[in-house]
Amino acid sequence: IILVALATKNGILIVEFANQLRDEGRSVRDAIVEASELRLRPSLMTSFATIAGAVPLMLGGGAGGETRSTIGVVIVFGVLGSTALTLYVVPVFYNLLARFTRSPEELSRQIEAYEAEHAEPANANAPGYAPKAAE
């Protein structure tokens, strides 16, 4: 579970940051490149901290040492693999797939503009109010 959670968290952070940059008007490619650059250090720090925590499992001995050693090896190499996939595969797929989507906030802006255009005035229920004639 730790491997899936770590890879998912790092991937989500990269994609979310890229979406925020797209909302600011950046192109898909520029957004994913900058998001990947800015999220590289935190992703590596999280991965290396997890690996550092699993090294004693991998190197430890004693009763049940073989079982713990196996778990440590799986964690260390699994985190290395998932980190590599997150840092290379997620940006590539985002770049390929996000081209067919709009900026995440674009629809919200369109809805707000539509509501502002078609909103009734606050005094619409006041006596003597007559709406404008349709053009």
Side-chain angles (χ1 to χ4, degrees):
I1 294 177
I2 192 170
L3 300 175
V4 173
L6 185 65
T8 304
K9 178 192 75 70
N10 288 337
I12 288 172
L13 290 174
I14 290 171
V15 169
E16 180 61 30
F17 196 71
N19 284 340
Q20 290 174 2
L21 292 173
R22 284 183 66 198
D23 290 340
E24 294 174 3
R26 307 260 176 92
S27 70
V28 171
R29 187 178 189 292
D30 291 342
I32 195 62
V33 167
E34 185 172 344
S36 296
E37 288 174 356
L38 292 175
R39 297 303 311 166
L40 175 64
R41 183 172 173 253
S43 295
L44 290 178
M45 288 173 55
T46 304
S47 298
F48 289 147
T50 305
I51 290 170
V55 167
L57 281 173
M58 197 169 77
L59 302 177
E66 295 85 19
T67 304
R68 286 192 302 273
S69 177
T70 304
I71 292 171
V73 168
V74 168
I75 291 173
V76 167
F77 289 102
V79 168
L80 284 173
S82 69
T83 301
L85 288 174
T86 300
L87 296 177
Y88 292 105
V89 174
V90 169
V92 168
F93 274 96
Y94 184 88
N95 192 30
L96 291 173
L97 299 175
R99 296 170 189 255
F100 304 109
T101 64
R102 291 187 238 159
S103 167
E105 289 294 318
E106 185 176 339
L107 184 59
S108 297
R109 287 190 291 260
Q110 288 176 351
I111 291 172
E112 289 172 3
Y114 179 83
E115 288 175 345
E117 184 179 306
H118 294 85
E120 290 189 26
N123 61 356
N125 294 330
Y129 171 78
K132 293 181 183 178
E135 295 178 18

